[in-house]
Structures are given as C-alpha cells and as structure tokens.
Amino acid sequence: MARGELRIYLGAAPGVGKTYAALEEARRRAGRGTDVVIGVAETHGRAHTAAMIGDLETVPLRGSELDLDALLRRRPEVAVVDELAHTNAPGSRNAYRRQDVEELLDAGISVLTTVNVQELASLGDVVARITGVEQRETVPDAVVRAAEQVELVDMTPEALRRRVAHGNVYGPGEVDAALANRFRTGNLTALRELALLWLAGKVDEQLGRYRADHGIDATWEARERVVVAIGGGPEGETLIRRAARIAARSRGAELLAVHVTRSDGLAGADPAELARQRVLTESLGGTYHQVAGLDVPRALVEFARGVNATQIVLGVSGRGRRSARAGATTAMLAGSIDVHLVGHERAARGGRRRPMPAALSRRRRIAGFATVLAGLPLLTALLLALPGQPLITGILLFLVVVVGVALIGGLGPALLAAVGGSLLLNWYFTPPYGRFLVAQEQNLLALAIFVIVAVAVSWVVDTAARRTRQAARASAEAQTLATVAGSVLRGERPLMALLDRLRETFALESVALTEDGTTVAEVGRPGLRADRADDVVKADGDLLMLLRGRVLEAADRRIVEAFAAQAAVALRQERLAAEAASVRPLAEANRLRTALLAAVSHDLRTPLASATAAVASLRSSEVAFGEEDRAELLATAGESLDRLGGLVANLLDMSRLQAGALGVAVIEVGAEEVVPRALDDLGPEGRTVAVRVPDDLPLLRADPGLLERVLVNLVGNALRYSPPGRPPMITGSAHGDVVELRVVDHGPGIPAAKRDDVFLPFQRLGDRDNHTGVGLGLALSRGLTEAMGGSLIPDETPGGGLTMIISLPAVSP
C-alpha cells in the first residue's frame, strides 16, 4: 500500500487564511473527482472559512476531537485535518493530532493540514520573546520537514491587521486587544520573516536532495555560501573577518570556516589557535567545520561543492611557490566556484616555517653516535680477523650497522655511520689497501651504491620514526582533548572542571585564570599570582593562565594553549549564563506586565462596559423602563460589578503574593466550616456539588478566608468543565499529619505533560478560552495554598477528569 502524502499550509499568524487555503485545495481536488473528506476544519466562527466547506463530506467529530477510527473506515483519498499541532483530549486514541495524521498517512490517505510558525518546536523560544506569550501546543520540526509539500500562506502585516479590524479573525470584543498586543505590526513582521526563513531552509534541503539524487556536482548559486580555509595559523583571524565581510554583502549568505586536517593522523595546526578561530567564526554568525585529507586543495574543493558554496577564501602565506601552487590548484579544481586569494601582514613579512621536531630523543641520538663509534671499529676488526672475505660481504655487514644505527639514533648518527663505513671499506678492504683510492671501477661503483643506499635507508628510517612520534603525540593530544571535553560537558561549572582537568593531566600544584591581574578562577593551592607562577600561557585578550608545579616542555605547550583557549570560551559562556539569569526575572516581570495589560484591556473592560451600559440606561430619561426591566438592568450591573471586583481582587492578591506582602492568619479550622461557605459563594451552582467530608476529619491549620477563596476558584473551575448530569464532588481525608481536600470533576481533564502549565499566571489550557477571566484562578489558588504552608497538586480522576488535591497540615489530636 502506497503511503499518503502530507501537504502543510504554513502561516505566520492566525487569520492569514491557512484553513481557507486547505479547504480551497480540497474543493479543487473534489472538483477533479478525488474522494475528499473533512476530518477536522476549525473555522473559529469565521463565515468565509465556514462557507468554503460547502457540500464537502464531513466525518462527525468524536466529542471535540477527530474521529480517527471513522475516518480510517471511510478511507478517502484525501482528508482535511486542521491544526497539526493540536493536543488531543485525555482518553483519545493518540495524545497528539500529528499521531492521528501519521496513522492516516500509513493507511494511504493523503492529508491537508495547517501549522502556524509559532507552533514549530525549534522557534518556540524566539516567538515567546517576540510576542511575550509562550506557545503551549507545538509540533516537532522534523514532522513538518518530512511533509511532501509545505506551502506558505502569506499576508502582509497591514493586510492582516485590516482583516482583524474588520472582525474577520476575532469577535468584536477581542479586536482591540488583538491589535494592541499579538497583532502589532512589529510582531507580525517578525513572525512573517521567521516563516519565510524557515521555509527557505526547507527549500534549500529539498534542493540539496535533488542535486544528490541526480548526481549534480556543479554549484547552483541559489544562495551565497562563502567557505574560508583556515590552517590554524595567526593569519586565520584576518581571513575569517574578510570572508565575513564578503558574506555580509549578500542578504541571507552563509559563512563556513573549514580546516583540513591530515588524514594520516599526524599533528598539524595549533589546537589553541583553531579554538580561538572557531569562536570568532561563530561570533560572526558562521559555522566551523573540520575535514580530513592528505591533498588539502582537493579536500577543500570537495567540501565546498558538498555545501554548494559559491566562493572560497584562501590566505596567501609567506612560503612562496608552495603557497602559490596550492592557490592555483584550488582555483583549477574549483571550476565555477569563485576563489579569493587574500593577503595579510604575515605573508608580506614572510612566514617562518615551524621547525621540524626531532624524530628521537636526545638520549637516543647519543646512543646512536656511541653505537657508531663502537660498532664500526669492532666490525672492521672482525673482518680483518677473517681474511679472504669479498668486498660485497663487508659492504652488506656495514649496511646492517648503518640500518641498526638509524633505528637507534636516527638520521644524524646513520649518516655518520654511512660516511665512516665507506671510508673504512675504502681504507682496509679496497685495493690499494691503506690508501683512500680505488683501483678497480667495480669497487668504486659498489662503494657509491653503499653510500647511496645507506643514506636513503637512514632517511627513510628517520622519517618513519619522526612520523610515528608525531602520530603518537597527535593521538595523545586528541585523547586528552576528548577527555577534557567529556569532563567539561558533564560538569555543572565547565570552567572549573576544565582547570581541574588541566591540573590533573599535567600534575600541577595549582592553575589560575586571571584577567587584568585579577583572578577569575582557580584550582589547587590558592593564592597563585603571576610573579609566583612557573609558566604563563595566554588564553585570549587580557586572559592569562598561570601554572605552578613545573615548567612546561615545548611539546606540552600546544595542548596547554588549547586548554587556555577553551577556558576563555568557558568563562565567556558562564558570564553569558549569569547575565541571562539576571535578566530572567526582568523578562518574567515584563511577561506578567504584558499579560496584565492584556487582561485590563479585555477582561476588565467587559464587565465594566456591561455595568456602565446598565447604569446609563437606568439614568436615561428617553426610555421609560418597567419595574421588571429596571430589576434586570440592576441585576446586570450588580453581576458585572461583582465580577469586576473579583477580578481586581485576584489581581491584587497575585501582586501581594509575588511581593511577599499577603497577610496570612493561620488558625485551627474545620473543613466542615469552610466548605459550605465556599459553596454558598458560588450561588445556585454551588448547591449541585456533592460533599463527602467525614465528621471525624481532623482540624487543619489554614487561613479560613484564603482557604475559602481557594475552594471557590477550584470548584468554579470544576463546574465550568463538568459535563451535564455529573457535578463535581468535594471529599476530605486524613493521611498522617496532613489533611487532603479533593475537588473532583469528570470533565475533559488535563494531559499529564501540561498539568503544571495551568498554574502559570495569565494562562489557560490551550489559550483558546478568552471569555472566562484573566487566567489567574489556579495560579492564585496554588499561591494561597502554599502561603498557608500547604500544597495544591493536580491528578487524574479515575474514568476521566481532573482532581485538585489541597494538602494542609493537620492539627494533632
């Protein structure tokens, strides 16, 4: 069975016409004879959207959710399932609507659905900073990226604001609040840009897959991508900044820094310099990459083609023809990719090549020279004691000595052995004896071959030893850095973990990181200063790493410099985290302020407007009202003012709670005293609530007035969501030194993952109901309960629904 296709209509904000576009596509397909069925179409009361449904077949909902089983039994070719990010009600077959859609696709049914850009999981924090509202229902980006088609339903901010103002998105009572908050021009512009950029990224992925599937290696300049090659030298900063300026000339261009490492595992660039250049690249908005290859130009061009780069930036080093040859080779291999050769100050002065490290230790080299001084005379004496040996035997034996010396002491001692061996063979074993002359041509040729072979073997052995040592050091450095990275990632304080790992790795007494002479981090013996340090390594800028315990060897300095560079990065991250933590309370206060303004502009205005209209009607002399009409108007004004008073009281209490200024008078009180008063406050609806509080329930410690407020809020919420014929219930029970009061309802309940969300101020589950208060009831109830020394915890009602558990200290008998 062929899998169905998923088509998603992506929009920057509600009201741009996503559902309308999906229904329009459904009607177009139905007109062509395709079997189309509507599973869910959320019209939100918009007449134009509802009119698009027309005569399209609709599968009835199961409660308020998609009837997945009925839709699978119906098996249409195409199904319209609106709002992909929707969270299903408890008791549904799947927790999320996207899982319902996945089952439809697996059954071979194609799906038309909708997504708002703020519902993309990767953009949740960005959207929250823009709008000041955290999105509760999200969908993983991977689900949307996997869709066969994603179509952007676009609209300019001005056009969308006109649509809202005309009442085509929200009802008349919500227009002003929407335009003043979520639908501000700046918000809509930012959301629109997010949607366009996200969709551009998906289009870029599709282009990459198409080129890979069709074997297209040529560069398609759909977007500027600048690749800068860095070698870990000090000139890298100049190259990165120049490449960043090139990328900045084109809007949406990408900067990619790449370092080509040796694929043979030998040590290459300075890891500390590479770490600093990586930080610089990322600070300029680029990305850092590392590839392996023996042929640097070819590896660089292959990487550039793989990322569909349009430009390559190379540095001109001071190594003359070698640098020019590398640049020319890269340009030749690049084809249609532009190659920039950038000069820098060090190239003008002429770069100095790093001296080749000794292949073997000083002790090994001394042993090699000693072997030459002892071995050559001994071999000569042995050959003289065995007369009649041909010259070729002596040459082979001396060659064995040269190879042995090369293995012991490297190139220098081996060259000495080769030269010394040739002289001894000439003097003692080549006629005329006792003179540095060769009488026969074949002997001269044999001696020449001996010298050439001896020198060649010495060079090969020395090179192999050198590379073996480099590979071992590179492996040790890599293992050390990997260990450092692991310890840093696992630690709560990366900087201290890194310094401690450095101290352990190099057996140091203490390590300190200083900035302008001030110690910012220290491990080991305290009190380390620059004048007491055995070694000092520059980390970055004014940051210095002080070491005490031993002086670093030249071979260890590279890896310590890498530690220092990573320490500078860790310090920067800790400071950023500290700044973010200090700003978080301000951001929370701003979020609450924004929500409060929204509440005042909408929720408080509605009862105020009702009361004002009722009083104005009573005061009017133009209309004569009967007693019944006057009573109704007075009742309306009273109810509106009561509601207004309740909202203001909640706002004031929440402010006092957050300021720590709420007065709490905890006394011993019985649940049988507080519960009836709370139900009386709810009016006639309160009389429908079942109460099962045992007579022997212990007294509890609480503020009676605050506990009553908590119960009114919880029971009122339970009444609002309880189905007809199944009223809420209040139960009481004792558990040790705690008394629990439970408010039980059989409504839709709350998913376990979202139960804590309902206690956030100014939040309503799903953010869909904007007519029943400012969203403070549950937040205030938890705050009041905790102020009395108790807790308020949500739980699932057996059989479906929500149970709110108030736990308060019990009075000992």
Side-chain angles (χ1 to χ4, degrees):
M1 179 187 300
R3 179 179 166 86
E5 293 187 356
L6 177 61
R7 182 166 184 170
I8 297 176
Y9 292 87
L10 177 68
V16 296
K18 301 180 300 298
T19 305
Y20 188 93
L23 292 172
E24 190 175 37
E25 174 65 15
R27 295 186 67 84
R28 187 180 66 84
R29 294 194 185 190
R32 294 185 316 191
T34 304
D35 185 12
V36 180
V37 168
I38 296 178
V40 177
E42 300 284 359
T43 63
H44 300 288
R46 298 164 192 165
H48 296 293
T49 304
M52 283 300 297
I53 296 177
D55 56 354
L56 291 175
E57 180 183 349
T58 301
V59 174
L61 297 177
R62 186 175 183 178
S64 61
E65 301 296 340
L66 169 71
D67 192 340
L68 179 59
D69 293 327
L71 197 54
L72 289 172
R73 288 193 300 270
R74 173 62 177 76
R75 297 189 63 81
E77 295 179 65
V78 177
V80 177
V81 181
D82 206 1
E83 297 188 356
L84 183 63
H86 175 71
T87 301
N88 291 336
S92 300
R93 176 166 167 176
N94 294 309
Y96 303 101
R97 184 165 290 171
R98 65 174 183 269
Q99 296 170 324
D100 296 339
V101 169
E102 191 67 24
E103 288 197 37
L104 294 174
L105 296 174
D106 290 339
I109 302 172
S110 297
V111 175
L112 305 177
T113 188
T114 62
V115 170
N116 276 325
V117 69
Q118 60 262 36
E119 294 169 343
L120 295 171
S122 65
L123 299 178
D125 57 337
V126 180
V127 173
R129 286 196 295 270
I130 294 172
T131 64
V133 178
E134 184 177 354
Q135 182 65 33
R136 298 299 175 187
E137 293 185 327
T138 61
V139 59
D141 288 46
V143 175
V144 183
R145 291 189 184 278
E148 281 74 17
Q149 295 183 64
V150 178
E151 180 177 329
L152 180 66
V153 182
D154 191 29
M155 179 176 287
T156 64
E158 294 76 12
L160 183 54
R161 282 175 58 84
R162 284 196 300 271
R163 179 176 287 185
V164 174
H166 293 159
N168 294 328
V169 178
Y170 295 116
E174 303 173 77
V175 170
D176 292 341
L179 291 174
N181 293 282
R182 187 174 187 178
F183 285 80
R184 295 196 300 267
T185 302
N187 287 2
L188 296 177
T189 302
L191 293 174
R192 187 187 186 201
E193 183 177 13
L194 283 178
L196 290 169
L197 289 175
W198 191 93
L199 190 60
K202 176 171 173 57
V203 171
D204 197 57
E205 289 180 5
Q206 292 175 330
L207 177 61
R209 286 197 299 268
Y210 178 85
R211 295 176 70 244
D213 293 342
H214 292 78
I216 300 173
D217 295 328
T219 301
W220 286 7
E221 299 180 6
R223 180 190 295 189
E224 286 289 340
R225 286 185 177 85
V226 181
V227 171
V228 54
I230 55 177
E235 73 281 356
E237 181 177 343
T238 302
L239 299 178
I240 293 170
R241 294 188 185 279
R242 180 59 183 274
R245 290 196 297 270
I246 294 174
R249 295 171 187 167
S250 300
R251 183 170 179 81
E254 295 181 19
L255 172 65
L256 302 93
V258 59
H259 171 65
V260 181
T261 60
R262 295 177 63 96
S263 59
D264 55 10
L266 301 184
D270 184 356
E273 195 66 39
L274 281 178
R276 283 189 283 268
Q277 292 172 10
R278 177 173 188 167
V279 172
L280 175 61
T281 301
E282 293 173 349
S283 68
L284 295 174
T287 56
Y288 176 84
H289 306 267
Q290 198 159 306
V291 297
L294 285 174
D295 187 345
V296 173
R298 189 173 298 276
L300 176 61
V301 171
E302 288 177 355
F303 172 81
R305 285 180 177 164
V307 299
N308 200 24
T310 56
Q311 303 184 62
I312 298 175
V313 177
L314 293 172
V316 179
S317 70
R319 293 197 281 272
R321 284 179 293 180
R322 181 179 178 184
S323 172
R325 186 166 59 251
T329 303
T330 303
M332 181 182 66
L333 295 174
S336 60
I337 304 176
D338 297 337
V339 178
H340 302 265
L341 292 178
V342 178
H344 47 87
E345 185 179 356
R346 288 182 176 268
R349 293 201 306 261
R352 291 185 303 170
R353 296 189 64 180
R354 183 180 299 170
M356 185 73 75
L360 300 173
S361 65
R362 186 169 180 268
R363 181 179 298 178
R364 290 277 297 275
R365 295 197 301 276
I366 292 175
F369 284 115
T371 302
V372 173
L373 296 177
L376 293 183
L378 287 175
L379 180 58
T380 302
L382 178 62
L383 290 175
L384 290 175
L386 299 173
Q389 296 296 326
L391 178 61
I392 188 63
T393 301
I395 290 175
L396 291 175
L397 290 175
F398 272 92
L399 187 59
V400 171
V401 173
V402 172
V403 172
V405 169
L407 291 173
I408 295 172
L411 182 60
L415 291 177
L416 178 60
V419 174
S422 65
L423 294 175
L424 290 172
L425 285 170
N426 188 1
W427 183 270
Y428 289 106
F429 305 107
T430 305
Y433 302 111
R435 299 174 64 185
F436 290 111
L437 294 174
V438 180
Q440 299 176 358
E441 293 182 0
Q442 61 269 28
N443 291 339
L444 178 62
L445 179 61
L447 288 174
I449 292 175
F450 165 77
V451 173
I452 293 173
V453 172
V455 171
V457 169
S458 302
W459 181 82
V460 169
V461 172
D462 180 79
T463 301
R466 189 188 310 277
R467 293 201 171 189
T468 300
R469 190 176 186 187
Q470 289 178 351
R473 174 160 290 279
S475 176
E477 290 179 356
Q479 186 174 1
T480 301
L481 291 174
T483 304
V484 169
S487 64
V488 169
L489 290 174
R490 289 189 296 271
E492 293 183 0
R493 296 192 61 190
L495 177 58
M496 300 303 294
L498 190 144
L499 295 182
D500 197 53
R501 177 61 64 179
L502 173 62
R503 185 178 64 85
E504 293 177 2
T505 301
F506 292 96
L508 299 168
E509 291 182 10
S510 57
V511 179
L513 189 67
T514 65
E515 185 175 24
D516 294 329
T518 303
T519 300
V520 295
E522 186 176 19
V523 295
R525 184 183 299 176
L528 179 58
R529 299 197 305 267
D531 56 348
R532 296 181 181 178
D534 294 320
D535 216 328
V536 178
V537 177
K538 183 175 181 180
D540 185 27
D542 297 327
L543 289 173
L544 296 177
M545 182 172 283
L546 310 181
L547 311 174
R548 182 167 63 190
R550 68 183 180 91
V551 179
L552 292 176
E553 298 179 6
D556 293 334
R557 180 166 287 274
R558 279 164 45 90
I559 195 69
V560 173
E561 288 177 349
F563 271 93
Q566 293 299 329
V569 174
L571 177 62
R572 187 179 297 111
Q573 290 175 341
E574 286 193 3
R575 287 177 172 174
L576 290 174
E579 290 178 6
S582 64
V583 171
R584 192 173 295 114
L586 297 177
E588 180 66 17
N590 184 64
R591 188 187 70 81
L592 289 174
R593 189 181 301 112
T594 302
L596 178 59
L597 290 174
V600 171
S601 65
H602 177 266
D603 295 273
L604 297 185
R605 184 184 60 208
T606 301
L608 184 60
S610 299
T612 302
V615 173
S617 299
L618 290 172
R619 294 182 59 189
S620 174
S621 58
E622 298 178 359
V623 179
F625 292 100
E627 288 299 324
E628 184 177 347
D629 293 334
R630 291 176 62 84
E632 184 177 350
L633 288 172
L634 288 171
T636 299
E639 292 173 1
S640 299
L641 292 174
D642 288 342
R643 182 183 172 194
L644 181 63
L647 291 173
V648 171
N650 282 344
L651 288 170
L652 291 176
D653 283 345
M654 179 57 68
S655 299
R656 294 191 187 100
L657 272 175
Q658 293 180 338
L662 181 68
V664 180
V666 176
I667 62 173
E668 298 180 3
V669 64
E672 70 279 0
E673 301 175 27
V674 180
V675 172
R677 290 203 302 265
L679 297 181
D680 288 342
D681 289 344
L682 291 169
E685 285 188 330
R687 302 188 187 98
T688 64
V689 178
V691 179
R692 297 180 182 176
V693 177
D695 296 334
D696 58 349
L697 187 69
L699 298 177
L700 48 89
R701 295 187 58 81
D703 183 314
L706 297 184
L707 180 56
E708 183 180 335
R709 291 279 304 280
V710 172
L711 287 171
V712 168
N713 283 333
L714 297 182
V715 176
N717 196 65
L719 286 167
R720 186 178 305 119
Y721 292 103
S722 291
R726 302 195 68 183
M729 177 174 58
I730 300 177
T731 66
S733 57
H735 302 275
D737 56 353
V738 173
V739 171
E740 289 186 354
L741 296 177
R742 296 173 177 252
V743 179
V744 184
D745 70 56
H746 299 279
I750 302 174
K754 295 181 176 293
R755 285 175 187 165
D756 286 337
D757 295 344
V758 298
F759 293 106
L760 297 174
F762 308 108
Q763 292 293 329
R764 307 178 188 90
L765 184 61
D767 291 324
R768 297 182 184 277
D769 180 9
N770 295 315
H771 306 281
T772 56
V774 296
L776 274 177
L778 293 179
L780 183 60
S781 297
R782 171 171 276 188
L784 295 176
T785 305
E786 292 176 351
M788 293 184 290
S791 64
L792 177 60
I793 300 173
D795 196 6
E796 182 179 359
T797 302
L802 179 67
T803 297
M804 287 291 186
I805 305 173
I806 306 171
S807 300
L808 290 167
V811 177
S812 300

Coordinates of all heavy atoms in Angstrom, one line a residue, residues 532-581:
R532 N 54.6 34.4 40.9 CA 54.9 33.1 41.6 C 54.6 31.9 40.6 O 54.8 30.8 41.0 CB 54.0 32.9 42.8 CG 54.3 34.0 43.9 CD 53.4 33.7 45.1 NE 53.6 34.7 46.2 CZ 52.9 34.7 47.3 NH1 52.0 33.7 47.6 NH2 53.2 35.6 48.3
A533 N 54.2 32.2 39.4 CA 53.8 31.1 38.5 C 55.1 30.6 37.8 O 56.0 31.3 37.6 CB 52.9 31.6 37.4
D534 N 55.1 29.3 37.6 CA 56.3 28.6 36.9 C 56.1 28.8 35.4 O 57.1 28.8 34.7 CB 56.3 27.1 37.2 CG 56.7 26.9 38.7 OD1 57.5 27.6 39.2 OD2 56.0 26.0 39.3
D535 N 54.9 29.0 34.9 CA 54.7 29.3 33.5 C 53.4 30.1 33.3 O 52.5 30.0 34.1 CB 54.6 27.9 32.7 CG 55.2 28.0 31.4 OD1 55.2 29.1 30.8 OD2 55.8 27.0 30.9
V536 N 53.4 30.8 32.2 CA 52.2 31.7 31.9 C 51.8 31.4 30.5 O 52.7 31.4 29.6 CB 52.5 33.2 32.1 CG1 51.3 34.0 31.8 CG2 52.9 33.4 33.6
V537 N 50.5 31.1 30.2 CA 50.0 30.9 28.9 C 48.9 31.9 28.6 O 48.0 32.1 29.4 CB 49.5 29.5 28.7 CG1 48.9 29.2 27.3 CG2 50.6 28.5 28.9
K538 N 49.0 32.6 27.4 CA 47.9 33.5 27.1 C 46.7 32.7 26.6 O 46.8 31.8 25.8 CB 48.4 34.4 26.0 CG 47.4 35.5 25.6 CD 47.9 36.5 24.6 CE 46.9 37.6 24.2 NZ 47.4 38.5 23.3
A539 N 45.6 33.1 27.2 CA 44.3 32.5 26.8 C 43.6 33.2 25.7 O 43.4 32.7 24.6 CB 43.4 32.3 28.0
D540 N 43.2 34.5 26.0 CA 42.5 35.3 24.9 C 42.5 36.7 25.5 O 42.0 36.9 26.6 CB 41.1 34.7 24.7 CG 40.4 35.4 23.5 OD1 41.1 36.0 22.7 OD2 39.2 35.5 23.5
G541 N 42.9 37.7 24.7 CA 42.8 39.1 25.1 C 43.6 39.3 26.3 O 44.8 39.1 26.3
D542 N 42.9 39.8 27.4 CA 43.6 40.0 28.7 C 43.6 38.8 29.6 O 44.0 39.0 30.7 CB 42.9 41.2 29.4 CG 43.1 42.5 28.5 OD1 44.1 42.7 27.9 OD2 42.1 43.3 28.6
L543 N 43.1 37.7 29.1 CA 43.1 36.5 30.0 C 44.4 35.8 29.9 O 44.9 35.5 28.8 CB 42.0 35.6 29.5 CG 40.5 36.0 29.8 CD1 39.5 35.1 29.1 CD2 40.3 36.1 31.3
L544 N 45.0 35.4 31.1 CA 46.2 34.7 31.2 C 46.0 33.5 32.1 O 45.2 33.5 33.0 CB 47.3 35.5 31.8 CG 47.8 36.7 31.0 CD1 48.8 37.5 31.8 CD2 48.3 36.4 29.6
M545 N 46.6 32.3 31.7 CA 46.5 31.1 32.5 C 47.9 30.9 33.2 O 48.9 30.9 32.6 CB 46.2 29.9 31.7 CG 46.0 28.6 32.5 SD 45.4 27.3 31.5 CE 43.7 27.7 31.4
L546 N 47.8 30.9 34.6 CA 49.0 30.8 35.4 C 49.1 29.3 35.9 O 48.1 28.7 36.3 CB 48.9 31.7 36.6 CG 48.6 33.2 36.3 CD1 48.6 34.0 37.6 CD2 49.5 33.8 35.3
L547 N 50.3 28.8 35.8 CA 50.6 27.4 36.1 C 51.7 27.4 37.2 O 52.7 28.1 37.1 CB 51.0 26.6 34.9 CG 50.1 26.7 33.7 CD1 50.8 26.0 32.5 CD2 48.7 26.2 33.9
R548 N 51.5 26.6 38.2 CA 52.6 26.3 39.2 C 52.7 24.9 39.5 O 51.7 24.1 39.6 CB 52.2 27.1 40.5 CG 53.3 26.9 41.6 CD 53.1 27.9 42.7 NE 51.9 27.6 43.4 CZ 51.4 28.4 44.4 NH1 52.0 29.5 44.7 NH2 50.2 28.1 45.0
G549 N 54.0 24.4 39.5 CA 54.2 23.0 39.7 C 55.4 22.5 38.9 O 56.3 21.8 39.4
R550 N 55.5 23.0 37.7 CA 56.6 22.7 36.8 C 56.6 23.6 35.6 O 55.5 24.1 35.2 CB 56.7 21.2 36.4 CG 55.5 20.8 35.5 CD 55.6 19.3 35.2 NE 54.6 18.8 34.3 CZ 54.7 18.8 33.0 NH1 55.8 19.2 32.4 NH2 53.7 18.3 32.3
V551 N 57.7 23.7 34.9 CA 57.8 24.5 33.7 C 57.4 23.6 32.5 O 57.8 22.4 32.5 CB 59.2 25.0 33.4 CG1 59.3 25.8 32.1 CG2 59.6 25.9 34.6
L552 N 56.6 24.1 31.6 CA 56.1 23.3 30.5 C 57.2 23.0 29.5 O 58.0 23.8 29.2 CB 54.9 24.0 29.8 CG 53.6 24.2 30.6 CD1 52.7 25.0 29.7 CD2 53.0 22.8 30.9
E553 N 57.2 21.7 29.0 CA 58.0 21.4 27.9 C 57.4 22.0 26.6 O 56.2 22.3 26.5 CB 58.2 19.9 27.7 CG 58.8 19.2 28.9 CD 58.9 17.7 28.7 OE1 58.6 17.2 27.6 OE2 59.3 17.0 29.7
A554 N 58.3 22.2 25.6 CA 57.8 22.8 24.4 C 56.7 21.9 23.8 O 55.7 22.4 23.2 CB 58.9 22.9 23.4
A555 N 56.8 20.6 23.9 CA 55.8 19.7 23.3 C 54.5 19.8 24.0 O 53.4 19.5 23.4 CB 56.3 18.2 23.3
D556 N 54.5 20.1 25.3 CA 53.2 20.2 26.1 C 52.5 21.6 25.9 O 51.3 21.7 26.2 CB 53.5 20.0 27.6 CG 54.0 18.6 27.8 OD1 53.6 17.7 27.1 OD2 54.7 18.4 28.8
R557 N 53.3 22.6 25.5 CA 52.7 23.9 25.4 C 51.5 24.0 24.5 O 50.5 24.7 24.7 CB 53.8 24.9 25.0 CG 53.2 26.4 24.9 CD 54.4 27.3 24.9 NE 55.1 27.4 26.2 CZ 54.7 28.2 27.2 NH1 53.6 29.0 27.0 NH2 55.3 28.3 28.3
R558 N 51.6 23.3 23.3 CA 50.5 23.3 22.4 C 49.1 22.8 23.0 O 48.1 23.5 22.9 CB 50.7 22.4 21.2 CG 51.6 23.0 20.1 CD 52.2 21.9 19.2 NE 51.2 20.9 18.8 CZ 50.4 21.0 17.7 NH1 50.6 22.1 16.9 NH2 49.6 20.1 17.3
I559 N 49.2 21.8 23.8 CA 48.0 21.2 24.4 C 47.5 22.2 25.5 O 46.3 22.4 25.7 CB 48.1 19.8 24.8 CG1 46.8 19.1 25.1 CG2 49.0 19.7 26.1 CD1 46.0 18.9 23.9
V560 N 48.4 22.8 26.2 CA 48.0 23.7 27.3 C 47.4 24.9 26.7 O 46.5 25.5 27.3 CB 49.2 24.0 28.2 CG1 48.9 25.1 29.2 CG2 49.7 22.8 28.9
E561 N 47.9 25.4 25.6 CA 47.3 26.6 24.9 C 45.9 26.2 24.5 O 45.0 27.1 24.5 CB 48.2 27.0 23.7 CG 49.5 27.6 24.1 CD 50.3 28.0 22.9 OE1 50.0 27.5 21.8 OE2 51.3 28.7 23.1
A562 N 45.7 25.0 24.1 CA 44.3 24.6 23.7 C 43.4 24.6 24.9 O 42.2 25.1 24.9 CB 44.3 23.2 23.1
F563 N 43.9 24.2 26.1 CA 43.2 24.3 27.4 C 42.8 25.7 27.6 O 41.7 26.1 28.0 CB 44.0 23.7 28.5 CG 43.9 22.3 28.8 CD1 44.7 21.3 28.2 CD2 42.9 21.8 29.6 CE1 44.5 20.0 28.4 CE2 42.7 20.5 29.9 CZ 43.5 19.6 29.3
A564 N 43.8 26.6 27.5 CA 43.6 28.0 27.8 C 42.6 28.6 26.9 O 41.7 29.4 27.3 CB 45.0 28.8 27.6
A565 N 42.6 28.3 25.6 CA 41.6 28.8 24.7 C 40.2 28.3 25.1 O 39.2 29.1 25.0 CB 41.9 28.4 23.2
Q566 N 40.1 27.1 25.4 CA 38.8 26.5 25.8 C 38.3 27.2 27.2 O 37.1 27.4 27.4 CB 38.8 25.0 26.0 CG 39.0 24.3 24.6 CD 37.9 24.6 23.7 OE1 36.7 24.8 24.1 NE2 38.2 24.6 22.4
A567 N 39.3 27.5 28.0 CA 39.0 28.1 29.3 C 38.4 29.5 29.0 O 37.4 29.9 29.7 CB 40.2 28.2 30.2
A568 N 38.9 30.2 28.1 CA 38.4 31.5 27.7 C 36.9 31.4 27.2 O 36.1 32.2 27.6 CB 39.2 32.2 26.7
V569 N 36.7 30.4 26.4 CA 35.3 30.1 25.9 C 34.4 29.8 27.1 O 33.3 30.3 27.2 CB 35.3 29.0 24.9 CG1 33.9 28.7 24.4 CG2 36.1 29.4 23.7
A570 N 34.8 28.9 28.0 CA 34.0 28.5 29.1 C 33.7 29.7 30.0 O 32.6 29.9 30.5 CB 34.7 27.4 29.9
L571 N 34.7 30.6 30.2 CA 34.4 31.8 31.0 C 33.4 32.7 30.4 O 32.5 33.2 31.0 CB 35.8 32.6 31.2 CG 35.7 33.9 32.0 CD1 35.2 33.6 33.4 CD2 37.0 34.6 32.0
R572 N 33.5 32.8 29.1 CA 32.5 33.7 28.3 C 31.1 33.1 28.5 O 30.1 33.8 28.7 CB 32.9 33.8 26.9 CG 32.1 34.8 26.1 CD 32.6 34.8 24.6 NE 33.9 35.4 24.6 CZ 35.0 34.6 24.2 NH1 34.8 33.3 23.9 NH2 36.2 35.2 24.1
Q573 N 31.0 31.7 28.4 CA 29.7 31.1 28.5 C 29.1 31.3 29.9 O 27.9 31.5 30.1 CB 29.8 29.6 28.1 CG 30.1 29.4 26.7 CD 30.4 27.9 26.4 OE1 30.7 27.1 27.3 NE2 30.2 27.5 25.1
E574 N 30.0 31.1 30.9 CA 29.5 31.3 32.3 C 29.0 32.7 32.5 O 28.0 32.9 33.2 CB 30.6 31.0 33.3 CG 30.8 29.5 33.4 CD 31.7 29.1 34.6 OE1 32.1 30.0 35.4 OE2 32.0 27.9 34.8
R575 N 29.7 33.7 32.0 CA 29.3 35.1 32.1 C 28.0 35.3 31.4 O 27.1 36.0 31.9 CB 30.4 36.0 31.6 CG 31.6 36.1 32.6 CD 32.7 36.9 32.0 NE 33.7 37.1 33.0 CZ 34.9 37.7 32.8 NH1 35.1 38.2 31.6 NH2 35.8 37.9 33.7
L576 N 27.8 34.7 30.2 CA 26.6 34.9 29.5 C 25.4 34.3 30.2 O 24.3 34.8 30.3 CB 26.7 34.3 28.1 CG 27.6 35.1 27.1 CD1 27.8 34.3 25.8 CD2 27.1 36.4 26.8
A577 N 25.7 33.1 30.8 CA 24.7 32.4 31.6 C 24.3 33.2 32.8 O 23.1 33.3 33.1 CB 25.1 31.0 32.0
A578 N 25.3 33.9 33.4 CA 25.0 34.7 34.6 C 24.1 35.9 34.2 O 23.2 36.3 34.9 CB 26.3 35.1 35.3
E579 N 24.5 36.5 33.0 CA 23.7 37.6 32.6 C 22.3 37.2 32.2 O 21.3 37.9 32.5 CB 24.4 38.2 31.3 CG 25.7 38.9 31.6 CD 26.4 39.5 30.4 OE1 25.7 39.4 29.3 OE2 27.5 40.0 30.5
A580 N 22.2 36.0 31.6 CA 20.8 35.6 31.3 C 20.0 35.3 32.5 O 18.8 35.6 32.6 CB 20.9 34.3 30.4
A581 N 20.6 34.8 33.6 CA 19.9 34.5 34.8 C 19.5 35.8 35.5 O 18.4 35.9 36.1 CB 20.8 33.7 35.8

